[in-house]
Coordinates of all heavy atoms in Angstrom, one line a residue:
M1 N 244.0 3.9 98.9 CA 245.2 4.6 98.4 C 244.9 5.2 97.1 O 244.5 4.5 96.2 CB 246.3 3.6 98.4 CG 247.6 4.1 97.9 SD 248.9 3.0 98.3 CE 249.2 2.3 96.7
V2 N 245.1 6.4 96.9 CA 244.9 7.1 95.7 C 246.1 7.0 94.8 O 247.2 7.3 95.1 CB 244.6 8.6 95.9 CG1 244.4 9.3 94.6 CG2 243.3 8.8 96.7
G3 N 245.8 6.5 93.5 CA 246.9 6.3 92.5 C 247.0 7.5 91.5 O 248.0 7.8 91.1
Q4 N 245.8 8.0 91.2 CA 245.8 9.1 90.2 C 244.5 9.9 90.3 O 243.5 9.3 90.6 CB 245.8 8.4 88.8 CG 245.7 9.3 87.6 CD 245.7 8.5 86.3 OE1 246.0 7.4 86.3 NE2 245.4 9.2 85.3
V5 N 244.6 11.2 90.2 CA 243.4 12.0 90.2 C 243.4 12.8 89.0 O 244.3 13.5 88.6 CB 243.5 13.0 91.5 CG1 242.3 13.8 91.5 CG2 243.6 12.2 92.8
D6 N 242.3 12.7 88.2 CA 242.1 13.4 87.0 C 240.7 14.0 86.9 O 239.8 13.5 87.5 CB 242.2 12.4 85.8 CG 243.6 11.9 85.5 OD1 244.5 12.7 85.7 OD2 243.7 10.7 85.2
K7 N 240.7 15.2 86.2 CA 239.4 15.8 86.0 C 238.7 14.9 84.9 O 239.3 14.4 84.0 CB 239.6 17.2 85.4 CG 238.5 18.1 85.8 CD 238.8 19.5 85.1 CE 238.7 20.6 86.2 NZ 238.7 21.9 85.5
C8 N 237.4 14.6 85.1 CA 236.7 13.8 84.1 C 236.7 14.5 82.7 O 236.8 15.7 82.6 CB 235.3 13.4 84.6 SG 234.1 14.7 84.4
D9 N 236.6 13.7 81.7 CA 236.6 14.2 80.3 C 235.5 15.3 80.1 O 235.7 16.3 79.5 CB 236.4 13.1 79.3 CG 237.7 12.2 79.2 OD1 238.8 12.7 79.6 OD2 237.5 11.1 78.8
R10 N 234.3 15.0 80.6 CA 233.1 15.9 80.4 C 233.4 17.2 81.1 O 233.1 18.3 80.5 CB 231.9 15.2 81.0 CG 230.6 16.0 80.7 CD 230.3 16.0 79.2 NE 229.1 16.7 78.9 CZ 228.9 17.5 77.9 NH1 229.8 17.6 77.0 NH2 227.8 18.1 77.8
C11 N 234.0 17.2 82.3 CA 234.3 18.5 82.9 C 235.3 19.3 82.2 O 235.3 20.5 82.1 CB 234.7 18.2 84.4 SG 233.4 17.8 85.4
Q12 N 236.3 18.6 81.6 CA 237.3 19.2 80.8 C 236.7 19.9 79.6 O 237.1 21.0 79.3 CB 238.4 18.3 80.4 CG 239.3 17.8 81.6 CD 240.4 16.8 81.2 OE1 240.4 16.4 80.0 NE2 241.2 16.5 82.1
E13 N 235.8 19.2 78.9 CA 235.1 19.7 77.8 C 234.3 21.0 78.1 O 234.3 22.0 77.4 CB 234.2 18.7 77.1 CG 234.8 17.6 76.5 CD 233.9 16.5 76.1 OE1 232.6 16.7 76.1 OE2 234.3 15.4 75.7
L14 N 233.7 21.0 79.3 CA 232.8 22.1 79.7 C 233.6 23.2 80.4 O 233.1 24.3 80.7 CB 231.7 21.6 80.6 CG 230.7 20.6 80.0 CD1 229.8 20.1 81.1 CD2 230.0 21.2 78.9
G15 N 234.9 22.9 80.7 CA 235.7 23.9 81.4 C 235.2 24.1 82.8 O 235.3 25.1 83.4
A16 N 234.7 23.0 83.4 CA 234.1 23.0 84.8 C 235.2 23.2 85.8 O 236.4 23.0 85.5 CB 233.3 21.8 85.1
G17 N 234.9 23.7 87.0 CA 235.8 23.9 88.1 C 236.4 22.6 88.6 O 236.2 21.5 88.0
T18 N 236.9 22.6 89.8 CA 237.6 21.5 90.3 C 236.7 20.6 91.3 O 237.2 19.9 92.0 CB 238.8 21.9 91.1 OG1 238.4 22.8 92.1 CG2 239.8 22.6 90.2
N19 N 235.4 20.8 91.2 CA 234.5 20.1 92.1 C 234.1 18.7 91.7 O 233.5 18.0 92.4 CB 233.3 20.9 92.4 CG 232.5 21.2 91.1 OD1 233.0 21.0 90.0 ND2 231.2 21.6 91.3
H20 N 234.5 18.3 90.5 CA 234.1 17.0 90.0 C 235.4 16.3 89.5 O 236.0 16.7 88.5 CB 233.1 17.1 88.9 CG 232.6 15.7 88.4 ND1 231.4 15.2 88.7 CD2 233.2 14.8 87.6 CE1 231.3 14.0 88.1 NE2 232.4 13.8 87.5
W21 N 235.8 15.2 90.2 CA 237.1 14.6 89.8 C 236.8 13.1 89.7 O 236.0 12.5 90.5 CB 238.1 14.9 90.8 CG 238.5 16.3 90.9 CD1 237.9 17.3 91.6 CD2 239.6 16.9 90.2 NE1 238.5 18.5 91.3 CE2 239.6 18.3 90.5 CE3 240.6 16.4 89.4 CZ2 240.5 19.2 90.0 CZ3 241.5 17.3 88.9 CH2 241.4 18.7 89.2
L22 N 237.6 12.4 88.9 CA 237.6 11.0 88.8 C 238.9 10.5 89.6 O 239.9 11.1 89.4 CB 237.8 10.5 87.4 CG 236.6 10.7 86.5 CD1 237.0 10.2 85.1 CD2 235.4 10.0 87.0
I23 N 238.7 9.6 90.5 CA 239.8 9.1 91.3 C 240.0 7.7 91.0 O 239.1 6.8 91.0 CB 239.5 9.3 92.8 CG1 239.2 10.7 93.2 CG2 240.6 8.7 93.6 CD1 238.8 11.0 94.6
S24 N 241.3 7.4 90.6 CA 241.7 6.0 90.3 C 242.4 5.4 91.5 O 243.4 6.0 91.9 CB 242.6 6.0 89.0 OG 243.1 4.8 88.8
F25 N 241.9 4.3 92.0 CA 242.5 3.7 93.2 C 243.4 2.6 92.7 O 243.0 1.7 91.9 CB 241.4 3.1 94.1 CG 240.6 4.2 94.7 CD1 239.4 4.6 94.1 CD2 241.0 4.8 95.9 CE1 238.6 5.6 94.7 CE2 240.2 5.8 96.5 CZ 239.1 6.2 95.9
S26 N 244.7 2.6 93.1 CA 245.6 1.6 92.8 C 245.1 0.3 93.3 O 244.5 0.2 94.4 CB 247.0 2.0 93.2 OG 247.0 2.0 94.6
G27 N 245.5 -0.8 92.7 CA 245.1 -2.1 93.1 C 243.8 -2.6 92.5 O 243.5 -3.8 92.5
M28 N 243.1 -1.7 91.8 CA 241.9 -2.1 91.1 C 242.2 -2.4 89.7 O 243.0 -1.7 89.1 CB 240.8 -1.1 91.2 CG 240.2 -0.8 92.5 SD 238.9 0.4 92.6 CE 237.6 -0.4 91.7
P29 N 241.7 -3.5 89.1 CA 242.0 -3.8 87.7 C 241.4 -2.8 86.8 O 240.4 -2.2 87.0 CB 241.3 -5.2 87.5 CG 240.7 -5.6 88.8 CD 240.8 -4.5 89.7
K30 N 242.2 -2.5 85.7 CA 241.7 -1.5 84.7 C 241.2 -2.3 83.5 O 241.9 -3.2 83.1 CB 242.9 -0.6 84.3 CG 242.4 0.5 83.4 CD 243.5 1.6 83.3 CE 243.5 2.4 84.5 NZ 243.6 3.8 84.4
Y31 N 240.1 -1.8 83.0 CA 239.5 -2.4 81.8 C 239.4 -1.3 80.7 O 239.1 -0.2 81.0 CB 238.2 -3.0 82.1 CG 238.3 -4.2 83.0 CD1 238.2 -4.1 84.4 CD2 238.5 -5.5 82.5 CE1 238.3 -5.1 85.2 CE2 238.6 -6.6 83.4 CZ 238.5 -6.4 84.7 OH 238.6 -7.5 85.6
Y32 N 239.6 -1.7 79.5 CA 239.5 -0.8 78.3 C 238.3 -1.2 77.5 O 238.2 -2.4 77.1 CB 240.8 -0.8 77.5 CG 242.0 -0.3 78.3 CD1 242.7 -1.2 79.2 CD2 242.4 1.0 78.3 CE1 243.7 -0.8 79.9 CE2 243.4 1.4 79.1 CZ 244.1 0.5 79.9 OH 245.2 1.0 80.7
F33 N 237.4 -0.2 77.1 CA 236.2 -0.5 76.4 C 236.4 0.0 74.9 O 236.1 1.2 74.6 CB 235.0 0.2 77.0 CG 234.6 -0.3 78.3 CD1 235.4 -0.9 79.2 CD2 233.2 -0.2 78.6 CE1 235.0 -1.4 80.4 CE2 232.8 -0.7 79.9 CZ 233.7 -1.3 80.7
H34 N 237.0 -0.8 74.1 CA 237.2 -0.4 72.7 C 235.9 -0.6 71.9 O 235.2 -1.6 72.1 CB 238.3 -1.3 72.1 CG 239.6 -1.3 72.9 ND1 240.4 -0.2 73.0 CD2 240.2 -2.4 73.6 CE1 241.5 -0.6 73.8 NE2 241.3 -1.8 74.1
S35 N 235.6 0.3 71.0 CA 234.4 0.2 70.2 C 234.9 -0.3 68.8 O 235.9 0.2 68.3 CB 233.8 1.6 70.0 OG 233.3 2.0 71.3
R36 N 234.1 -1.2 68.3 CA 234.4 -1.7 67.0 C 233.1 -1.9 66.2 O 232.1 -2.3 66.7 CB 235.1 -3.1 67.1 CG 235.6 -3.6 65.8 CD 236.3 -5.0 65.9 NE 237.6 -4.9 66.6 CZ 238.7 -4.6 65.9 NH1 238.8 -4.4 64.6 NH2 239.9 -4.6 66.6
T37 N 233.2 -1.6 64.9 CA 232.2 -2.0 63.9 C 232.9 -3.0 62.9 O 234.0 -3.3 63.1 CB 231.6 -0.8 63.2 OG1 232.6 -0.2 62.3 CG2 231.0 0.2 64.1
N38 N 232.1 -3.3 61.9 CA 232.8 -4.2 60.9 C 234.0 -3.6 60.2 O 234.9 -4.3 59.8 CB 231.7 -4.6 59.9 CG 230.6 -5.5 60.5 OD1 230.9 -6.2 61.5 ND2 229.4 -5.4 60.0
D39 N 234.0 -2.3 60.1 CA 235.1 -1.6 59.4 C 235.9 -0.5 60.2 O 236.8 0.1 59.6 CB 234.6 -1.1 58.1 CG 233.5 -0.1 58.2 OD1 233.0 0.1 59.4 OD2 233.1 0.5 57.2
T40 N 235.5 -0.3 61.4 CA 236.2 0.7 62.2 C 236.6 0.2 63.6 O 235.9 -0.7 64.1 CB 235.4 2.0 62.4 OG1 234.2 1.7 63.1 CG2 235.1 2.7 61.0
F41 N 237.6 0.8 64.1 CA 238.1 0.5 65.5 C 238.4 1.8 66.2 O 239.2 2.6 65.7 CB 239.3 -0.4 65.5 CG 239.9 -0.8 66.8 CD1 239.2 -1.7 67.6 CD2 241.0 -0.2 67.3 CE1 239.7 -2.0 68.9 CE2 241.5 -0.5 68.5 CZ 240.9 -1.4 69.3
L42 N 237.7 2.0 67.3 CA 238.0 3.2 68.2 C 238.5 2.7 69.5 O 237.8 2.2 70.4 CB 236.7 4.0 68.4 CG 236.0 4.5 67.1 CD1 234.6 5.0 67.5 CD2 236.9 5.6 66.5
P43 N 239.9 2.9 69.7 CA 240.5 2.4 70.9 C 240.1 3.3 72.1 O 239.9 4.5 72.0 CB 242.0 2.5 70.6 CG 242.1 3.5 69.6 CD 240.8 3.5 68.8
D44 N 240.1 2.7 73.3 CA 239.9 3.4 74.5 C 241.3 3.4 75.1 O 241.8 2.4 75.6 CB 239.0 2.6 75.5 CG 238.9 3.1 76.9 OD1 239.4 4.2 77.1 OD2 238.3 2.4 77.7
D45 N 241.9 4.6 75.1 CA 243.3 4.7 75.6 C 243.4 5.0 77.1 O 244.5 4.9 77.6 CB 244.0 5.9 74.8 CG 244.1 5.5 73.3 OD1 244.3 4.4 73.0 OD2 244.0 6.5 72.5
R46 N 242.3 5.3 77.7 CA 242.3 5.7 79.1 C 241.9 4.6 80.0 O 242.6 4.4 81.0 CB 241.3 6.9 79.3 CG 241.4 7.4 80.7 CD 240.6 8.7 80.7 NE 240.7 9.2 82.1 CZ 240.5 10.5 82.4 NH1 240.1 11.3 81.4 NH2 240.6 10.9 83.6
G47 N 240.9 3.8 79.7 CA 240.5 2.7 80.6 C 239.7 3.2 81.8 O 239.6 4.4 82.1
F48 N 239.1 2.2 82.5 CA 238.3 2.4 83.7 C 238.7 1.4 84.7 O 238.9 0.2 84.4 CB 236.8 2.3 83.4 CG 236.4 3.2 82.3 CD1 236.3 2.9 81.0 CD2 235.9 4.5 82.7 CE1 235.9 3.8 80.0 CE2 235.4 5.4 81.7 CZ 235.4 5.0 80.4
D49 N 238.7 1.8 86.0 CA 239.0 0.9 87.1 C 237.7 0.4 87.6 O 236.7 1.1 87.8 CB 239.7 1.7 88.3 CG 241.1 2.2 87.9 OD1 241.7 1.6 87.1 OD2 241.5 3.2 88.5
F50 N 237.7 -1.0 87.8 CA 236.5 -1.7 88.4 C 237.1 -2.7 89.4 O 238.2 -3.2 89.3 CB 235.8 -2.4 87.3 CG 235.1 -1.5 86.3 CD1 235.6 -1.2 85.1 CD2 233.9 -0.9 86.7 CE1 235.0 -0.4 84.2 CE2 233.3 0.0 85.8 CZ 233.8 0.2 84.5
P51 N 236.2 -3.0 90.4 CA 236.7 -3.9 91.4 C 236.9 -5.4 90.9 O 237.7 -6.1 91.4 CB 235.6 -3.9 92.5 CG 234.4 -3.3 91.8 CD 234.9 -2.4 90.7
D52 N 236.1 -5.7 89.8 CA 236.3 -7.1 89.3 C 235.7 -7.1 87.9 O 235.1 -6.1 87.4 CB 235.6 -8.1 90.2 CG 234.1 -7.8 90.5 OD1 233.4 -7.2 89.6 OD2 233.7 -8.1 91.6
F53 N 235.8 -8.2 87.2 CA 235.3 -8.4 85.8 C 233.8 -8.2 85.8 O 233.3 -7.6 84.8 CB 235.7 -9.8 85.3 CG 235.0 -10.1 84.0 CD1 235.4 -9.5 82.8 CD2 233.9 -11.0 84.0 CE1 234.7 -9.8 81.7 CE2 233.3 -11.3 82.8 CZ 233.7 -10.7 81.6
E54 N 233.0 -8.7 86.7 CA 231.6 -8.6 86.7 C 231.1 -7.1 86.7 O 230.2 -6.8 86.0 CB 230.9 -9.4 87.8 CG 231.0 -10.9 87.7 CD 230.4 -11.4 86.4 OE1 229.3 -10.9 86.0 OE2 231.0 -12.3 85.7
A55 N 231.8 -6.3 87.4 CA 231.5 -4.9 87.5 C 231.8 -4.2 86.1 O 231.0 -3.4 85.6 CB 232.2 -4.2 88.6
A56 N 232.9 -4.6 85.5 CA 233.2 -4.1 84.2 C 232.2 -4.6 83.1 O 231.8 -3.8 82.3 CB 234.6 -4.6 83.8
K57 N 231.7 -5.8 83.2 CA 230.7 -6.3 82.3 C 229.4 -5.6 82.5 O 228.8 -5.2 81.4 CB 230.5 -7.8 82.6 CG 229.6 -8.5 81.7 CD 229.4 -10.0 82.0 CE 228.4 -10.6 81.2 NZ 228.2 -12.1 81.6
R58 N 229.0 -5.3 83.7 CA 227.8 -4.5 83.9 C 227.9 -3.1 83.3 O 226.9 -2.7 82.7 CB 227.4 -4.5 85.4 CG 226.8 -5.7 86.0 CD 226.3 -5.5 87.4 NE 227.3 -5.0 88.3 CZ 228.1 -5.8 89.0 NH1 228.1 -7.1 88.9 NH2 229.0 -5.2 89.9
E59 N 229.0 -2.5 83.5 CA 229.2 -1.2 82.9 C 229.2 -1.2 81.4 O 228.7 -0.3 80.8 CB 230.5 -0.5 83.5 CG 230.7 0.9 83.0 CD 229.6 1.8 83.3 OE1 228.9 1.7 84.4 OE2 229.4 2.8 82.6
A60 N 229.8 -2.2 80.8 CA 229.9 -2.3 79.4 C 228.4 -2.5 78.8 O 228.1 -1.8 77.8 CB 230.7 -3.5 78.9
M61 N 227.6 -3.2 79.5 CA 226.2 -3.4 79.1 C 225.4 -2.1 79.2 O 224.7 -1.7 78.3 CB 225.5 -4.5 79.9 CG 226.2 -5.9 79.5 SD 225.4 -7.2 80.5 CE 223.9 -7.4 79.7
T62 N 225.6 -1.4 80.3 CA 225.0 -0.1 80.5 C 225.4 0.9 79.4 O 224.6 1.6 78.8 CB 225.3 0.5 81.9 OG1 224.7 -0.5 82.9 CG2 224.6 1.8 82.1
A63 N 226.7 1.0 79.2 CA 227.3 1.9 78.2 C 226.8 1.6 76.8 O 226.4 2.5 76.0 CB 228.8 1.9 78.3
A64 N 226.7 0.3 76.5 CA 226.2 -0.1 75.2 C 224.7 0.3 75.0 O 224.3 0.9 73.9 CB 226.3 -1.6 75.0
R65 N 223.9 0.2 76.0 CA 222.5 0.6 76.0 C 222.4 2.1 75.7 O 221.6 2.6 74.9 CB 221.7 0.2 77.2 CG 221.4 -1.2 77.3 CD 220.6 -1.6 78.6 NE 220.5 -3.0 78.7 CZ 221.1 -3.7 79.7 NH1 221.9 -3.1 80.6 NH2 221.0 -5.0 79.8
E66 N 223.2 2.9 76.4 CA 223.2 4.3 76.3 C 223.7 4.7 74.9 O 223.1 5.6 74.3 CB 224.1 5.0 77.3 CG 223.6 4.9 78.7 CD 224.5 5.3 79.8 OE1 225.7 5.8 79.5 OE2 224.2 5.3 81.0
M67 N 224.7 4.1 74.4 CA 225.1 4.4 73.0 C 224.1 4.0 72.0 O 223.9 4.8 71.0 CB 226.5 3.7 72.7 CG 227.6 4.3 73.5 SD 229.2 3.4 73.3 CE 229.5 3.8 71.6
I68 N 223.4 2.9 72.2 CA 222.4 2.5 71.2 C 221.3 3.6 71.2 O 220.8 4.0 70.1 CB 221.8 1.1 71.6 CG1 222.8 0.0 71.3 CG2 220.4 0.9 70.9 CD1 222.3 -1.3 71.9
T69 N 220.9 4.1 72.4 CA 219.8 5.1 72.4 C 220.3 6.3 71.6 O 219.5 6.8 70.8 CB 219.6 5.5 73.9 OG1 219.2 4.4 74.6 CG2 218.6 6.6 74.0
E70 N 221.5 6.8 71.8 CA 222.0 8.0 71.1 C 222.0 7.7 69.6 O 221.7 8.5 68.8 CB 223.3 8.4 71.6 CG 223.3 9.0 73.0 CD 224.7 9.3 73.5 OE1 225.6 9.5 72.6 OE2 224.9 9.4 74.7
M71 N 222.5 6.5 69.2 CA 222.6 6.1 67.8 C 221.2 6.1 67.1 O 221.1 6.5 66.0 CB 223.4 4.8 67.6 CG 224.8 4.9 68.1 SD 225.7 3.3 68.2 CE 225.8 3.0 66.4
V72 N 220.3 5.5 67.8 CA 218.9 5.4 67.2 C 218.3 6.8 67.1 O 217.8 7.1 66.0 CB 218.0 4.5 68.1 CG1 216.6 4.6 67.7 CG2 218.5 3.0 68.0
L73 N 218.5 7.6 68.1 CA 218.0 9.0 68.0 C 218.6 9.8 66.9 O 218.0 10.6 66.2 CB 218.1 9.7 69.3 CG 217.3 9.2 70.4 CD1 217.6 9.9 71.7 CD2 215.8 9.5 70.1
D74 N 219.9 9.5 66.6 CA 220.6 10.2 65.5 C 220.5 9.5 64.2 O 221.0 10.1 63.2 CB 222.1 10.2 65.9 CG 222.4 11.2 67.0 OD1 221.6 12.0 67.4 OD2 223.6 11.0 67.6
G75 N 219.8 8.4 64.1 CA 219.5 7.7 62.9 C 220.8 6.9 62.4 O 220.9 6.6 61.2
D76 N 221.7 6.6 63.3 CA 222.9 5.9 62.9 C 222.6 4.4 63.0 O 221.9 3.9 63.9 CB 224.1 6.3 63.8 CG 224.5 7.7 63.7 OD1 224.3 8.3 62.6 OD2 224.9 8.3 64.7
P77 N 223.2 3.6 62.1 CA 223.1 2.1 62.2 C 223.8 1.6 63.4 O 224.9 2.1 63.8 CB 223.6 1.6 60.9 CG 224.6 2.7 60.5 CD 224.1 4.0 61.0
I78 N 223.3 0.5 64.0 CA 224.0 -0.2 65.1 C 224.5 -1.6 64.7 O 225.1 -2.3 65.5 CB 223.1 -0.3 66.3 CG1 221.8 -1.1 66.1 CG2 222.8 1.1 66.9 CD1 221.1 -1.4 67.3
D79 N 224.2 -1.9 63.4 CA 224.7 -3.3 62.9 C 226.2 -3.4 63.1 O 227.0 -2.5 62.7 CB 224.3 -3.4 61.5 CG 222.8 -3.6 61.2 OD1 222.1 -3.8 62.2 OD2 222.4 -3.5 60.1
G80 N 226.6 -4.5 63.7 CA 228.0 -4.8 63.9 C 228.7 -4.0 65.0 O 229.9 -4.3 65.3
M81 N 228.0 -3.1 65.7 CA 228.7 -2.4 66.8 C 228.9 -3.3 68.0 O 228.0 -4.2 68.3 CB 227.8 -1.2 67.3 CG 227.8 0.0 66.4 SD 229.4 0.9 66.4 CE 229.5 1.4 68.1
R82 N 230.1 -3.2 68.6 CA 230.4 -4.0 69.7 C 231.5 -3.4 70.5 O 232.3 -2.6 70.0 CB 230.8 -5.4 69.3 CG 232.0 -5.5 68.4 CD 232.2 -6.9 67.9 NE 233.3 -7.0 67.0 CZ 233.3 -6.7 65.7 NH1 232.1 -6.3 65.1 NH2 234.3 -6.8 64.9
F83 N 231.5 -3.8 71.8 CA 232.7 -3.4 72.7 C 233.6 -4.6 72.7 O 233.1 -5.8 72.8 CB 232.2 -3.2 74.1 CG 231.7 -1.8 74.4 CD1 230.6 -1.6 75.1 CD2 232.4 -0.7 73.9 CE1 230.1 -0.4 75.4 CE2 231.9 0.6 74.2 CZ 230.8 0.8 74.9
E84 N 234.9 -4.4 72.6 CA 235.9 -5.4 72.9 C 236.6 -4.9 74.2 O 237.3 -3.9 74.2 CB 236.9 -5.5 71.8 CG 236.2 -6.2 70.6 CD 237.2 -6.3 69.4 OE1 238.4 -5.9 69.5 OE2 236.8 -6.9 68.4
V85 N 236.3 -5.5 75.3 CA 236.8 -5.1 76.6 C 238.1 -5.9 76.8 O 238.1 -7.1 76.7 CB 235.8 -5.4 77.7 CG1 236.4 -5.0 79.0 CG2 234.5 -4.7 77.4
T86 N 239.2 -5.1 77.1 CA 240.4 -5.8 77.4 C 240.9 -5.5 78.8 O 240.5 -4.4 79.4 CB 241.5 -5.3 76.3 OG1 241.7 -3.9 76.4 CG2 241.1 -5.7 74.9
D87 N 241.8 -6.3 79.3 CA 242.4 -6.0 80.6 C 243.6 -5.2 80.4 O 244.0 -4.8 79.3 CB 242.6 -7.4 81.3 CG 243.6 -8.3 80.6 OD1 244.3 -7.9 79.7 OD2 243.6 -9.5 81.0
E88 N 244.3 -5.0 81.5 CA 245.5 -4.2 81.4 C 246.6 -4.8 80.5 O 247.5 -4.0 80.0 CB 246.1 -3.9 82.8 CG 245.2 -3.1 83.7 CD 245.6 -2.9 85.1 OE1 245.4 -3.9 85.8 OE2 246.1 -1.9 85.5
S89 N 246.6 -6.1 80.3 CA 247.6 -6.7 79.5 C 247.2 -6.8 78.0 O 248.0 -7.3 77.2 CB 247.8 -8.2 80.0 OG 248.3 -8.2 81.3
G90 N 246.0 -6.3 77.7 CA 245.6 -6.2 76.3 C 244.8 -7.5 75.9 O 244.4 -7.6 74.8
N91 N 244.5 -8.4 76.9 CA 243.8 -9.6 76.6 C 242.3 -9.2 76.5 O 241.8 -8.6 77.3 CB 244.0 -10.6 77.7 CG 245.4 -11.0 77.9 OD1 246.1 -11.4 76.9 ND2 245.9 -11.0 79.1
V92 N 241.6 -9.7 75.4 CA 240.2 -9.5 75.3 C 239.5 -10.4 76.3 O 239.6 -11.6 76.2 CB 239.7 -9.8 73.8 CG1 238.2 -9.7 73.7 CG2 240.4 -8.9 72.8
V93 N 238.8 -9.8 77.2 CA 238.1 -10.5 78.3 C 236.6 -10.6 78.0 O 235.9 -11.4 78.6 CB 238.4 -10.0 79.7 CG1 239.8 -10.1 80.0 CG2 237.9 -8.5 79.8
L94 N 236.1 -9.7 77.1 CA 234.7 -9.7 76.7 C 234.5 -9.1 75.4 O 235.1 -8.0 75.1 CB 233.9 -8.9 77.8 CG 232.4 -8.6 77.5 CD1 231.6 -9.9 77.6 CD2 231.8 -7.6 78.5
T95 N 233.7 -9.7 74.5 CA 233.2 -9.1 73.3 C 231.7 -9.0 73.4 O 231.0 -10.0 73.7 CB 233.6 -10.0 72.1 OG1 235.0 -10.1 72.0 CG2 233.1 -9.4 70.8
L96 N 231.2 -7.8 73.4 CA 229.8 -7.5 73.7 C 229.2 -6.9 72.4 O 229.2 -5.7 72.3 CB 229.7 -6.6 74.9 CG 228.2 -6.3 75.3 CD1 227.5 -7.5 75.7 CD2 228.2 -5.2 76.4
P97 N 228.5 -7.7 71.6 CA 227.8 -7.1 70.5 C 226.6 -6.3 71.0 O 225.9 -6.8 71.9 CB 227.3 -8.3 69.7 CG 228.2 -9.4 70.1 CD 228.6 -9.1 71.5
F98 N 226.4 -5.1 70.5 CA 225.4 -4.2 71.1 C 224.0 -4.9 70.9 O 223.1 -4.6 71.8 CB 225.4 -2.9 70.4 CG 226.5 -1.9 70.8 CD1 227.6 -2.4 71.5 CD2 226.4 -0.6 70.6 CE1 228.6 -1.5 71.9 CE2 227.4 0.3 71.0 CZ 228.5 -0.2 71.7
R99 N 223.8 -5.7 69.9 CA 222.4 -6.3 69.8 C 222.1 -7.2 70.9 O 220.9 -7.4 71.2 CB 222.4 -7.0 68.4 CG 223.2 -8.3 68.4 CD 223.0 -9.0 67.0 NE 223.7 -10.3 67.0 CZ 225.0 -10.4 66.7 NH1 225.7 -9.3 66.3 NH2 225.6 -11.6 66.8
F100 N 223.1 -7.7 71.7 CA 222.8 -8.6 72.8 C 222.2 -7.8 74.0 O 221.6 -8.4 74.8 CB 224.1 -9.3 73.3 CG 224.5 -10.4 72.4 CD1 225.8 -11.0 72.5 CD2 223.7 -10.9 71.3 CE1 226.2 -12.0 71.6 CE2 224.1 -11.9 70.5 CZ 225.4 -12.5 70.7
V101 N 222.4 -6.5 74.1 CA 221.9 -5.8 75.2 C 220.4 -5.3 75.0 O 219.8 -4.7 75.9 CB 222.8 -4.6 75.7 CG1 224.1 -5.1 76.0 CG2 222.8 -3.6 74.6
L102 N 219.9 -5.6 73.8 CA 218.5 -5.2 73.5 C 217.5 -6.1 74.0 O 216.3 -5.8 74.1 CB 218.4 -5.0 71.9 CG 219.2 -3.9 71.3 CD1 219.1 -4.0 69.8 CD2 218.8 -2.6 71.8
D103 N 217.9 -7.3 74.4 CA 216.9 -8.3 74.8 C 216.4 -8.1 76.2 O 217.1 -7.5 77.1 CB 217.5 -9.7 74.8 CG 217.8 -10.1 73.3 OD1 217.2 -9.6 72.4 OD2 218.7 -10.9 73.2

C-alpha cells in the first residue's frame, strides 16, 4: 500500500524528470538520522522507512562510511561526528559514533 510518493532530494536538486521517485510504504517504521558533533546538531526532518531496526542500523553504518569518505577528502575533521537515530516517537534507538564504523 503506497502511503506517500515524493521525488528524491537529489532529483529535485538536479531538476530531473519524473522517472526516479522515492516511495514510502505505510506500515513500515520511520527512522530519523540526525547528525551531531560536539557543538552542532543537524536534524533529519524527513526520515527514512525501513522494515526493521536492523535495516536502519545497517543503513546508518553505510551512510556514516560514505560521509567519512567525503569528509576526509575535503579535509574536514570527523572527531565527535555521530548519528543519533530516532524512531517516529523521537526516542533515540541508536547512537553511532562515526569512529566505530572505521574498524
